[in-house]
Amino acid sequence: MNMKPQIRNRKYATEITADNDGEEVSIAGWVHEKRDLGGVFFLIVRDLGGFAQVTLHKDEVEKKLFERMKKVPRESVVAIEGEVKSEKKAPNGYELLPERMEVLSEASQVLPLDTTGKVGAELDTRLDARFMDLRTERTKQIFIIRSRVLKAIRDFFDERGFIEINTSKIVSAATEGGTALFPISYFEREAFLNQSPQLYKQMLMASGFDRVYEIAPIFRAEEHDTTKHLNEATSVDVEVAFVSDDEVMKLLEELIAFVYSKVVDYPGLAKLNLNLEVPKIPFRRITYDEAIELLSGAGEQIERGEDLSTSAEHILGEIIGEHYFITDWPCAIKPFYAQPVAEDKNICDAFDLMHPRLELASGSQRVHSYELLKKNIESKGLSADNFEFYLNAFRYGMPPHAGWGLGVERLLMSMLEIENIREVVLFPRDRRRLAP
Ligand code: ATP
Ligand code: MG
């Protein structure tokens, strides 16, 4: 076995076509399947792009090559050199007639998972052997789509003149109160993993950055063990100065439609059996009070001032049937930085973007008055002293601003009709899982 591979003229399985008939190429990848049909032996090699059929006619080849191919365990990594021959019945319309095979890494015999997708496995088993689960077509496609979605988000903001920012994930104070934080030891002090870039993106509004976004992890130490919560998630956070909540809601719905439009034509969607459509914008908007009335009509009683439960979200989703916004929330259940509406200081210019299945994003017009912000922090039972670094930014010229935070995993799972949020994260962190 060579330490350094010498693969001449390597091509991906999907780069080769029947037009390459007669050419010498190499393919390299994993041994997906082996089929011995007596006179012919097929070895299916899988690489990033797809599959190649290696066909060995036993009468024409050296016996040694056949013996080695027969013996090489499934999922071993091999490089195979040979001649392309057009073959209608093979994947991509060709087969490879092998001349040489190098085994670059031999796989152990008992596999933790079946990579052909023929034998299903529990999610926990799949996550335990995630590196191998990612070899299955469906899982691989989820993460290729995730990458496309992230690129679409960046393109969207780039086209609109946004500045991408990176704020610290090690912080001294909670964004919204102390309950859901992971404490870490920071030399001789205690610090926390940030639950949201909220305070920092707002401070940048005082710096004159005007339109910023960040795509980064958020850490929530909540004990929940649900199919829509992670303890480490990825958030798309946006903050815009000199605009109202109405404008950032439009921005949000445009982003959702844009992201869908960049995924609908992707051929890999077929692996997920999805028929994706771009949602129509503008999304319907209902107030919190209207939501409560709709729920009451459906037999679900929510006290005014109470947050919407998961079952309430499902019932509303059933009634409305497409993306929608819930606006005009009671300030009591929204964070201290949400701006009260002019007419009623108990109602805030805050909104949630909902998919019929679950919440995707939360946002608001922000308080930009230093005095009101300080008062709000204290009335939520928090100490203004802990927020001095943040409050300071409001004392020397802070424009009005608005923004939101959108969960990348929530967006993906709703878009791809995936039940469990853990499926759309490479290495999920939840109440029980800290490895791999
Ligand atoms: P929920 O009520 O659904 O638990 P939240 O209102 O606590 O969410 P926010 O603080 O509003 O969440 O965060 C903004 C967005 O970030 C949410 O709408 C969601 O998409 C995402 N998000 C928040 N917490 C989590 C989490 N624990 N796991 C996955 N995504 C999350
Ligand atoms: Mg929320």
Side-chain angles (χ1 to χ4, degrees):
M1 225 178 268
N2 280 339
M3 289 302 124
K4 291 189 193 185
Q6 289 178 338
I7 307 166
R8 284 190 295 159
N9 197 14
R10 181 189 177 199
K11 291 257 193 301
Y12 280 114
T14 43
E15 281 178 317
I16 306 167
T17 67
D19 292 345
N20 300 104
D21 191 277
E23 286 175 32
E24 290 282 319
V25 299
S26 290
I27 56 165
W30 286 257
V31 175
H32 188 68
E33 272 191 283
K34 298 188 291 179
R35 270 178 245 144
D36 194 348
L37 300 186
V40 233
F41 181 80
F42 295 118
L43 193 114
I44 308 296
V45 174
R46 185 188 67 244
D47 62 21
L48 176 65
F51 301 96
Q53 174 181 309
V54 178
T55 308
L56 205 125
H57 297 278
K58 289 183 197 166
D59 49 348
E60 291 166 20
V61 293
E62 295 171 56
K63 206 151 162 54
K64 250 164 92 185
L65 186 55
F66 167 63
E67 288 302 328
R68 288 179 63 225
M69 286 195 163
K70 207 166 102 167
K71 260 202 352 240
V72 65
R74 272 180 52 204
E75 294 305 319
S76 297
V77 177
V78 296
I80 297 176
E81 203 176 313
E83 187 189 318
V84 178
K85 182 165 161 273
S86 119
E87 169 55 65
K88 283 202 189 66
K89 282 181 277 176
N92 310 308
Y94 72 91
E95 60 186 359
L96 192 68
L97 306 178
E99 282 147 24
R100 255 179 300 283
M101 174 176 79
E102 190 177 355
V103 179
L104 300 168
S105 168
E106 195 172 293
S108 296
Q109 286 284 0
V110 183
L111 302 173
L113 281 178
D114 169 43
T115 54
T116 63
K118 285 176 189 156
V119 186
E122 294 290 327
L123 184 57
D124 262 331
T125 312
R126 291 174 43 205
L127 293 175
D128 285 343
R130 191 57 144 169
F131 70 92
M132 185 156 258
D133 180 44
L134 288 160
R135 295 181 191 177
T136 64
E137 266 315 295
R138 182 175 177 279
T139 310
K140 182 181 4 178
Q141 290 306 335
I142 291 174
F143 290 95
I144 294 174
I145 294 169
R146 183 178 165 122
S147 154
R148 290 177 80 95
V149 164
L150 290 173
K151 177 176 188 309
I153 294 172
R154 289 202 163 88
D155 288 346
F156 177 87
F157 287 122
D158 197 42
E159 282 168 17
R160 284 162 181 76
F162 276 73
I163 297 172
E164 180 172 2
I165 58 166
N166 303 107
T167 63
S168 181
K169 304 304 150 207
I170 303 177
V171 297
S172 63
T175 309
E176 301 174 18
T179 53
L181 291 169
F182 286 112
I184 56 169
S185 82
Y186 192 74
F187 305 109
E188 61 286 349
R189 281 182 291 170
E190 186 179 56
F192 304 94
L193 292 178
N194 209 356
Q195 67 190 125
S196 150
Q198 182 67 31
L199 308 184
Y200 293 90
K201 63 177 180 171
Q202 280 193 267
M203 286 192 284
L204 289 173
M205 297 299 98
S207 310
F209 275 41
D210 276 25
R211 303 158 82 75
V212 302
Y213 77 99
E214 175 163 8
I215 305 177
I218 55 171
F219 302 93
R220 308 262 166 134
E222 292 146 6
E223 297 258 351
H224 38 50
D225 193 3
T226 74
T227 53
K228 61 172 182 176
H229 287 102
L230 294 160
N231 293 108
E232 178 182 7
T234 311
S235 173
V236 179
D237 264 90
V238 163
E239 207 62 30
V240 187
F242 304 102
V243 301
S244 69
D245 49 331
D246 185 56
E247 278 158 274
V248 293
M249 285 166 76
K250 284 190 184 130
L251 186 76
L252 178 52
E253 63 195 4
E254 280 170 18
L255 172 70
I256 301 290
F258 183 83
V259 168
Y260 271 74
S261 76
K262 295 293 168 187
V263 175
V264 281
D265 296 332
Y266 174 59
L269 271 182
K271 295 283 185 288
L272 293 154
N273 294 318
L274 270 186
N275 191 6
L276 203 61
E277 277 175 39
V278 182
K280 288 201 180 52
I281 54 171
F283 297 149
R284 187 168 158 191
R285 298 181 183 192
I286 60 168
T287 64
Y288 170 86
D289 280 354
E290 285 164 349
I292 290 210
E293 263 166 54
L294 282 173
L295 286 165
S296 160
E300 178 92 356
Q301 302 305 330
I302 299 273
E303 284 293 319
R304 238 195 133 273
E306 211 182 296
D307 208 350
L308 301 184
S309 61
T310 298
S311 85
E313 285 181 1
H314 287 166
I315 295 167
L316 278 178
E318 285 276 308
I319 297 170
I320 297 175
E322 53 193 10
H323 289 84
Y324 62 103
F325 284 106
I326 306 177
T327 64
D328 299 83
W329 286 78
C331 295
I333 48 172
K334 283 292 170 188
F336 59 74
Y337 48 77
Q339 173 74 47
V341 301
E343 313 80 57
D344 180 350
K345 65 178 175 30
N346 295 315
I347 304 288
C348 273
D349 272 327
F351 58 87
D352 277 7
L353 171 64
M354 308 295 297
H355 177 272
R357 280 175 56 203
L358 79 180
E359 175 190 320
L360 298 184
S362 287
S364 69
Q365 185 75 40
R366 316 303 193 188
V367 174
H368 69 283
S369 142
Y370 171 79
E371 284 77 23
L372 179 57
L373 193 56
K374 191 168 179 210
K375 206 177 108 212
N376 276 0
I377 288 175
E378 282 164 351
S379 68
K380 294 267 181 195
L382 301 166
S383 147
D385 288 348
N386 289 343
F387 290 88
E388 204 188 333
F389 73 93
Y390 165 68
L391 280 166
N392 265 339
F394 292 74
R395 292 172 62 195
Y396 309 98
M398 171 63 94
H401 57 283
W404 42 257
L406 163 73
V408 171
E409 290 82 14
R410 298 263 180 107
L411 174 60
L412 272 166
M413 69 187 283
S414 58
M415 182 156 100
L416 302 181
E417 294 175 20
I418 286 169
E419 283 303 317
N420 195 318
I421 195 165
R422 292 163 183 79
E423 284 218 49
V424 301
V425 187
L426 282 173
F427 301 106
R429 292 290 172 259
D430 63 25
R431 184 68 186 81
R432 289 165 295 122
R433 185 174 287 280
L434 200 48

